[in-house]
Amino acid sequence: MTLVDVDLETAGNPLVAGLERVPVRSTAIVIFGAMGDLASRKLLPAIYNLAHEGGLPERIALIGISRGKLTDEDFRERARESIDRFSRRRPDPDVLDGLLANMQYLSGPFDDEGLYARLGDALTALDAGYGMPLNRVFYLSTAPEFFPVITGRLGEVGLNEAEDAEVRAVIEKPIGYDLASAQAQNAAVLEYFDESQVFRIDHYLGKETVQNLMALRFANALFEPVWNRNFIEHVQITAAEDIGVGTRAGYYEGAGALRDLVQNHMLQLLALLTMEPPTAFEANRLRDEKVKVLEAISPPALDEVADMAVRAQYGPGVVSGSESAGYREEPGVSPDSRTETYAALRLYVNNWRWAGVPFFLRTGKRMTRKLTEIAVTLRPVPHMAFQGADSAGVKPNQIILTLQPDEAVTVSLGAKVPGTKMQIRPVNMEFHYGTAFVSESPEAYERLILDAMRGDATLFTRNDEVEALWRIIDPILAAWASDTTTPIPQYPAGSAGPVEAEALLDGRSWRRL
Ligand code: BG6
């Protein structure tokens, strides 16, 4: 498939034009949890890559905060190591040195009032040094119990606002562990920060291919006429991973697959796939549409959960040719753990567009391979004109969005096999990111950090959206928590998941991994 470059601005597409034109004001980024895994693997490398591309403002400062006692120099050295190791491109020494020179470090417990006094002094000194008030982005890359502590302390010392500058708080997931705790957390954060200042991250929204889902739907007239119950028979959304729980058992044991991936990333994909077209690609208009569609997904009653949700755990098996332990044998996991590493759901979106169309979601760790995809299966042709053997290869059309690892859009079509017979089989029309666009995609965090600095909340989750997401998941969590005796289905590590998940599909099959 050949793509012709079109100037989006001259094409006047209201959904995409203008996105890149919002300038980034001079900013001080403050990372709470600066020595943590996320900061070193993702945030610091993302900030470096923004610097590399000239995406950062000329006046930029970064303050790392964590409990460890380090000097500024130690912190810069650690930041250099993280960037060297995890940056998607090899660092340019001049750009890196320039960035590191603007970094400093503060140590202290997150509830320590003295820390916030020192932070206030450091920010004031930066403003004075640059001769102008910098915008402030507080990035909360900490355990969730610290979110209200940090926003509370910032508020108490007045750092939740600044004269002639914007103040924003970026909050990582998880936002709560159920609806009630998410509401409590939102309320605590919003005590000092206005919703317009809060940027809740779901890194899937920063992925190029997830944004492409919106481009596909709303920059093409081709899909909209079939994007409804009249043409679509069912949808499968898969987020399979080959990795296990790794060193994260401490977090994962209390979370499980439903909270870790379904409540946020997978339901976000479902919302973007099913929402009505927003009138503009603008934060509140887009999020209004997402909330509306999420509210159209009725949460199951407790006694319906067994029929629409399946949980399972990986047992021992072979992944990519190597023996792999079962979940209950992993370090830090209880030998009788009931935490699910796999979850599959059947959901319905109860509105005019989607009534009666089943949406099947599945996610699991230690599955056959890493694959994130959305497969939309259309209804069969209304009348089969090809008779007998001629019709054997006629299959319903599918539109498949592969989000990772091999980013692509595929449309399957029935085509005639060359020869003297009328023989039909499915063929694929494909667009692969890797070959269509020569430039490498930025990491999700690059886009999201830049957007937070610009104050563009389009790709962040609003508080009512977080709560709508939990409303769908809460009864499933409650039903699973209340059943403490039924054995949790097991699937071998390296497999496509438990056989029990087949029953959800009402005679259909899960797509091959
Ligand atoms: C995170 C989850 O949010 O997403 C992890 O906590 C999961 O458990 C990860 O591995 C998957 O993200 P990605 O970008 O690799 O699909």
Side-chain angles (χ1 to χ4, degrees):
M1 194 165 145
T2 316
L3 291 171
V4 180
D5 281 339
V6 178
D7 180 338
L8 293 173
E9 292 205 19
T10 52
N13 186 332
L15 286 169
V16 283
L19 236 197
E20 311 306 330
R21 279 183 277 145
V22 184
V24 188
R25 271 203 47 184
S26 304
T27 304
I29 304 174
V30 180
I31 302 182
F32 289 87
M35 300 307 296
D37 214 43
L38 180 74
S40 66
R41 281 173 187 272
K42 298 286 182 190
L43 307 184
L44 292 169
I47 292 169
Y48 167 76
N49 278 290
L50 287 172
H52 190 107
E53 273 166 11
L56 294 180
E58 206 178 309
R59 298 180 187 88
I60 182 87
L62 192 148
I63 302 178
I65 298 183
S66 77
R67 269 161 295 191
K69 291 219 179 319
L70 300 182
T71 62
D72 288 347
E73 216 29 67
D74 296 335
F75 176 61
R76 290 188 191 122
E77 233 4 80
R78 303 261 187 120
R80 182 190 297 281
E81 283 164 21
S82 307
I83 293 168
D84 277 337
R85 184 152 169 225
F86 297 114
S87 165
R88 70 184 164 90
R89 55 159 73 87
R90 190 160 354 142
D92 173 310
D94 290 342
V95 178
L96 183 53
D97 287 347
L99 182 65
L100 295 174
N102 288 315
M103 290 190 187
Q104 52 181 300
Y105 181 77
L106 293 177
S107 111
F110 298 134
D111 61 352
D112 172 23
E113 286 170 22
L115 171 66
Y116 295 83
R118 284 182 286 132
L119 174 60
D121 292 345
L123 290 167
T124 309
L126 284 170
D127 290 354
Y130 282 124
M132 63 176 292
L134 302 187
N135 278 359
R136 294 167 183 177
V137 171
F138 297 112
Y139 200 119
L140 278 53
S141 168
T142 68
E145 62 263 30
F146 292 117
F147 300 163
V149 175
I150 295 170
T151 51
R153 288 275 185 258
L154 288 170
E156 283 158 17
V157 297
L159 286 173
N160 54 338
E161 52 193 14
E163 221 166 290
D164 299 324
E166 301 291 339
V167 179
R168 302 181 177 118
V170 180
I171 298 186
E172 268 295 334
K173 72 163 227 211
I175 310 288
Y177 49 88
D178 60 9
L179 176 61
S181 58
Q183 282 170 327
Q185 200 191 94
N186 276 337
V189 168
L190 295 176
E191 198 178 324
Y192 287 106
F193 285 78
D194 185 73
E195 177 61 29
S196 61
Q197 295 177 281
V198 181
F199 290 71
R200 296 178 196 79
I201 290 238
D202 181 315
H203 80 279
Y204 267 49
L205 296 178
K207 287 181 190 277
E208 286 287 320
T209 38
V210 173
Q211 292 160 49
N212 191 42
L213 168 56
M214 291 183 271
L216 205 72
R217 283 195 62 199
F218 306 132
N220 296 288
L222 184 63
F223 299 105
E224 175 58 18
V226 300
W227 218 249
N228 55 57
R229 63 193 303 277
N230 299 325
F231 288 89
I232 293 180
E233 196 277 324
H234 82 277
V235 175
Q236 291 187 22
I237 305 181
T238 298
E241 297 187 280
D242 53 353
I243 56 169
V245 70
T247 54
R248 298 168 73 219
Y251 151 75
Y252 200 85
E253 272 282 86
L258 197 61
R259 289 190 180 92
D260 187 45
L261 249 123
V262 180
Q263 185 271 343
N264 35 64
H265 310 325
M266 297 194 80
L267 288 180
Q268 285 288 347
L269 295 181
L270 178 58
L272 295 174
L273 188 79
T274 54
M275 69 184 183
E276 291 303 310
T279 47
F281 196 77
E282 187 267 309
N284 279 332
R285 299 211 211 163
L286 182 84
R287 297 185 299 177
D288 287 345
E289 296 305 339
K290 281 201 282 171
V291 171
K292 262 193 256 168
V293 83
L294 289 169
E295 286 177 347
I297 302 173
S298 318
L302 283 184
D303 62 355
E304 290 168 350
V305 170
D307 178 55
M308 54 73 71
V310 169
R311 59 175 159 169
Q313 274 177 341
Y314 63 83
V318 176
V319 182
S320 312
S322 307
E323 299 279 332
S324 168
Y327 178 66
R328 290 177 177 184
E329 289 118 47
E330 299 275 21
V333 174
S334 155
D336 50 10
S337 167
R338 294 180 65 80
T339 300
E340 79 285 357
T341 62
Y342 174 99
L345 308 182
R346 178 180 54 233
L347 295 173
Y348 290 94
V349 179
N350 298 313
N351 61 18
W352 275 49
R353 188 188 279 269
W354 295 114
V357 179
F359 291 84
F360 302 105
L361 277 52
R362 68 175 160 162
T363 183
K365 296 230 179 262
R366 281 277 187 255
M367 295 180 71
T368 320
R369 67 181 178 115
K370 170 100 178 164
L371 177 70
T372 313
E373 70 162 28
I374 300 173
V376 177
T377 301
L378 273 67
R379 294 192 182 283
V381 292
H383 167 71
M384 184 60 73
F386 303 105
Q387 298 298 316
D390 291 354
S391 70
V394 180
K395 301 273 185 277
N397 297 118
Q398 287 191 315
I399 302 166
I400 295 149
L401 312 174
T402 313
L403 305 178
Q404 46 190 12
D406 180 18
E407 295 99 341
V409 180
T410 307
V411 179
S412 79
L413 305 168
K416 182 182 174 305
V417 179
T420 50
K421 288 187 296 191
M422 177 50 89
Q423 196 189 345
I424 292 168
R425 73 171 173 81
V427 292
N428 286 341
M429 203 165 78
E430 290 177 323
F431 139 54
H432 284 267
Y433 258 70
T435 45
F437 298 108
V438 275
S439 61
E440 195 195 349
S441 295
E443 283 264 337
Y445 277 99
E446 295 172 36
R447 169 68 192 250
L448 295 175
I449 291 170
L450 192 63
D451 280 1
M453 285 199 284
R454 286 195 285 225
D456 182 345
T458 311
L459 300 177
F460 295 82
T461 319
R462 207 168 56 191
N463 61 345
D464 53 345
E465 191 179 346
V466 172
E467 293 174 13
L469 292 163
W470 278 119
R471 258 183 215 105
I472 301 166
I473 293 302
D474 248 24
I476 308 172
L477 289 171
W480 286 356
S482 69
D483 175 2
T484 54
T485 50
T486 314
I488 307 282
Q490 303 283 307
Y491 59 100
S495 72
V499 283
E500 287 80 354
E502 297 296 328
L504 281 182
L505 296 175
D506 305 323
R508 302 174 188 84
S509 306
W510 288 110
R511 283 174 50 78
R512 275 213 6 229
L513 285 183

